[in-house]
Amino acid sequence: STTRARALRLLALCQARLGNHREEVDAYDRALSLEPDPEVRAVVLANQAEGRMALGQILEALRGYRAALLTLPSVLMLDSGVTTLWGMAVALDRSGDLDEALGSIGRARSYDPVDRQIHGEDWFYVPDYDVHWYEALGHWQHARAGAGEAAMDAYSDSIASWRGYLDRAPPDDPWVPLASQRLAQCERERSKVDERPLRRR
C-alpha cells in the first residue's frame, strides 16, 4: 500500500541521517516495490542513489540517478530533478568524469540558476562535510563558464572548498585521494587561466 511505502521512505530517511546506508538502500527497495506514483518513485530512486554513493557503489548510484531522471515527469524537473542532477554530478566526478560532472551541474543550473534547490531545508549531506564536494564542483562549473576576475574568483572558491573537504574528512575517507587530486587539478587550471595574456581591442 502507499501508506506502507510512505512509512518505508521515512524509515530510509532516518537510516540515511544515522549513516546506516545499507539499511537505507534496503528500505528504499521495499518502498519502490509498493509505490506506483512516478513522481514519488523518481525521488525514491534519487535518494537511494545517494545511499549507494555513500556506500561507494558509484556505478549503481549513477544507474539510480539516471533511472530517476527518466521516471520524473519533465514538468517537475525544476523541483526534484535539480537535486538529482547535482547528486549525479558528484557521482560522475567520483567515477572519474569531471567534465560530465560539471555538465550535469550546468544542466541543473539551467532550471535553477541560483542553486535554490540544493540549499533547501529538505536537503542534507551525509557525511556533513560532503557539502564541500558539492560546493567545489559548483564553483568549478562557474569558473569554466565565466571569464576574467569572476572566473578567477570561482576557481579560488573551488580550491577553498576542496581544502575544506580535506580539512574535515577523516584519513580513512575513501574519497580523500580523489579530493587531493581535484585540488591540485583545480589549482593548475586556475594558474593556466591566470597566465593567459589580456586581449586588447
Side-chain angles (χ1 to χ4, degrees):
S1 69
T2 54
T3 301
R4 188 169 171 223
R6 183 174 183 276
L8 286 165
R9 295 199 310 272
L10 292 173
L11 172 62
L13 283 171
C14 291
Q15 298 287 16
R17 288 183 180 274
L18 292 169
N20 299 330
H21 299 295
R22 294 189 188 283
E23 292 82 357
E24 173 196 3
V25 167
D26 179 65
Y28 280 133
D29 266 336
R30 287 184 285 155
L32 285 167
S33 71
L34 299 168
E35 182 56 64
D37 184 86
E39 180 183 359
V40 178
R41 287 182 63 82
V43 173
V44 172
L45 284 164
N47 287 349
Q48 186 184 54
E50 294 286 339
R52 291 194 185 283
M53 183 157 61
L55 290 169
Q57 300 170 357
I58 298 300
L59 295 181
E60 293 89 339
L62 285 170
R63 280 196 288 270
Y65 287 124
R66 288 175 177 133
L69 291 170
L70 286 172
T71 304
L72 186 69
S74 58
V75 294
L76 297 173
M77 277 300 297
L78 182 58
D79 189 21
S80 57
V82 169
T83 51
T84 300
L85 286 166
W86 272 95
M88 189 164 73
V90 175
L92 283 164
D93 186 38
R94 290 174 175 174
S95 77
D97 199 336
L98 174 64
D99 291 341
E100 283 295 317
L102 299 184
S104 187
I105 292 173
R107 188 178 169 200
R109 284 175 169 162
S110 72
Y111 298 101
D112 181 19
V114 296
D115 302 341
R116 182 175 57 86
Q117 293 292 338
I118 204 71
H119 294 128
E121 60 183 23
D122 292 334
W123 184 261
F124 62 94
Y125 299 90
V126 180
D128 60 352
Y129 59 84
D130 227 21
V131 64
H132 295 295
W133 202 295
Y134 284 75
E135 289 175 347
L137 291 178
H139 293 311
W140 207 333
Q141 195 274 335
H142 274 314
R144 286 195 179 179
E149 286 189 20
M152 297 301 292
D153 288 345
Y155 275 118
S156 296
D157 289 340
S158 182
I159 289 165
S161 293
W162 287 121
R163 288 177 178 156
Y165 186 92
L166 291 167
D167 286 346
R168 293 186 60 195
D172 62 348
D173 181 287
W175 302 115
V176 162
L178 181 58
S180 298
Q181 181 183 330
R182 290 291 186 250
L183 170 60
Q185 185 178 354
C186 194
E187 288 173 333
R188 287 194 303 272
E189 199 169 301
R190 185 188 190 281
S191 296
K192 288 179 182 177
V193 171
D194 197 26
E195 290 167 1
R196 289 177 188 168
L198 292 174
R199 291 184 180 178
R200 296 186 182 275
R201 291 186 182 274

